[in-house]
Amino acid sequence: MPRLLPFFLLLLTLFACQKEDDADEPKSYSDKIVLQDLVLAGDSIKLTWSKLEDATLKEYRVVRREETNGPESILNRFYPPSGSSLATGFTDDAVPYVPTLEYQVVGVLTSGQTVTSNIVTHKRPEIKIINAVPFDVQFDSQRRVLYFFENDGKISQYDLAKSQVTKSIKTDATIGYCDFATYNGTPELYVPRNDGWIFIYNAETLDKIDQLNVGSPATCVVANHDLLFVAANNSSWPYRPVQVYSRASKTLVSQSTYYTSGNPRLKRIPNTDTELLSIGSSNQQYYSFSPKGDLLNQSQGYYSNYPLDANILELFPSSRKYLSSSSGVIYSISQGYEASLPKGNLAYTSFLIDAAERYIYAGTSTKSVEVYTNNNYVQTRSIKTKAYPYRLFQDGSNGLLCISSTTPSASIYYYNTPSKFVIEQLR
């Protein structure tokens, strides 16, 4: 028996080698393509597939879908170089940050017929997608709840602790920029509508509790000290771009008269109660009101060749300045253009200034948040993101909250509203 042991060991070795060879075979087929299991390599995914033994093979196409049975995109095409066969491997170095990916290889013959491989799926259940097409996102830092506002009137609450949308409503109107305040102990959400109404909801439950009519399409509302400051789109005389209403009586208190082009957006100037900045399509207005809501002063802003964008707008916490547009232009509220961030070929999508005004955080269309000093606008670091930053918020000890879209905007000017969002915590 001891003499037979080496013989049995040799047989086992040969059998193991044969099994290993079999696992790798066959390397080629005449009628099909076999896509092997994906190999993860950091943020990349490597693909290999069997060779299609067909003399009429013209090219391989590597395709990817970002959801099950979703639309496909061609990642690469391989054509036969002179005197050699086609490649049978590819590395996807631009893997999108989505929960499901499908890969497939398609062989195209000279006749136009195709031979498709099996589909190999890569799942990442830890990634939670928020299906929304918002024009604005706001953050309740106390409850750690995000609000997504969509042009078609849909409003959704997303609970960070639960990592899910907890409630959505449809307002059945085109809505504008909304605001929050507490009235008689109830947290309220004020929603301007294109039919001339302001609907008032309980901010926690999204139940409608009141409404008031402002007489023309409303594009924005700012609430403060039981007053509602409403931006209205008035293109004919008498111009009333800003109207002030009493929350208690729902009656008009005062109104401005300067004409504002486009759909103006209002923001309350920090550390003031009744000073407002208004940004239209190409201009800026300043308004001040008494504590009772009476108009005290209104002035036309500074005009220049530098861009303004009401969709990309952030006020500094204390220095009466603001950032606007994908170009990162800094304006003084009273003196106009002040500076521009050193962006190079970057296009900005969002801004955040920390409470102490030490740093400026700028989301970009190239999956990053750039950090600049506020005193001299020097870039100090670049934070890479998994997806494309859309809104930035301070989230207490949790660091920076980045609301990112998995789909890029089609233009560096960010005219297209992105969709399919993920939440990123940055430090």
Side-chain angles (χ1 to χ4, degrees), residues 140 143 145 147 157 179-181 186-190 200-207 209:
D140 181 342
R143 296 169 54 229
V145 172
Y147 289 78
Q157 291 178 330
D179 201 10
F180 297 84
T186 300
E188 293 186 337
L189 169 62
Y190 306 95
I200 302 173
Y201 298 84
N202 183 303
E204 295 182 353
T205 65
L206 294 185
D207 294 326
I209 55 181

Side-chain angles (χ1 to χ4, degrees), residues 52-58 109-110:
L52 181 63
E53 293 287 1
D54 190 315
T56 66
L57 177 62
K58 184 175 68 173
L109 308 182
T110 55

Side-chain angles (χ1 to χ4, degrees), residues 149-212:
F149 300 95
E150 304 186 45
N151 276 317
D152 65 359
K154 185 179 180 182
I155 302 173
S156 301
Q157 291 178 330
Y158 184 90
D159 191 310
L160 289 177
K162 297 178 180 179
S163 297
Q164 65 182 30
V165 173
T166 53
K167 188 164 186 179
S168 294
I169 62 169
K170 293 183 178 180
T171 62
D172 298 320
T174 299
I175 62 175
Y177 292 99
C178 306
D179 201 10
F180 297 84
T182 299
Y183 178 70
N184 286 342
T186 300
E188 293 186 337
L189 169 62
Y190 306 95
V191 181
R193 300 162 54 97
N194 68 331
D195 59 6
W197 287 87
I198 305 294
F199 276 16
I200 302 173
Y201 298 84
N202 183 303
E204 295 182 353
T205 65
L206 294 185
D207 294 326
K208 182 172 172 289
I209 55 181
D210 210 343
Q211 66 186 66
L212 66 102

Side-chain angles (χ1 to χ4, degrees), residues 265-330:
R265 180 183 186 182
L266 297 174
K267 277 206 169 188
R268 183 169 62 87
I269 298 173
N271 300 315
T272 72
D273 285 331
T274 52
E275 290 184 72
L276 300 177
L277 177 72
S278 174
I279 299 295
S281 59
S282 61
N283 53 54
Q284 165 207 309
Q285 282 80 29
Y286 163 84
Y287 301 97
S288 65
F289 299 85
S290 73
K292 293 183 178 180
D294 297 315
L295 179 65
L296 298 177
N297 184 32
Q298 56 183 342
S299 59
Q300 189 73 46
Y302 178 82
Y303 286 89
S304 73
N305 293 324
Y306 298 97
L308 284 170
D309 189 341
N311 295 314
I312 308 175
L313 175 65
E314 188 69 26
L315 276 72
F316 285 71
S318 59
S319 59
R320 299 180 72 85
K321 298 187 298 185
Y322 64 96
L323 268 159
S324 184
S325 87
S326 61
S327 298
V329 182
I330 301 169

Side-chain angles (χ1 to χ4, degrees), residues 26-87:
K27 292 289 188 180
S28 62
Y29 298 93
S30 61
D31 59 349
K32 64 180 179 179
I33 301 171
V34 177
L35 178 59
Q36 306 297 324
D37 289 340
L38 307 175
V39 177
L40 306 183
D43 292 330
S44 301
I45 291 180
K46 294 182 178 180
L47 294 79
T48 56
W49 57 92
S50 62
K51 183 179 177 182
L52 181 63
E53 293 287 1
D54 190 315
T56 66
L57 177 62
K58 184 175 68 173
E59 66 170 303
Y60 288 121
R61 295 175 184 172
V62 182
V63 301
R64 182 183 67 201
R65 302 176 187 89
E66 296 184 16
E67 57 184 304
T68 302
N69 297 323
E72 67 181 36
S73 57
I74 299 176
L75 300 183
N76 209 336
R77 291 178 170 181
F78 293 97
Y79 302 95
S82 178
S84 63
S85 61
L86 279 69

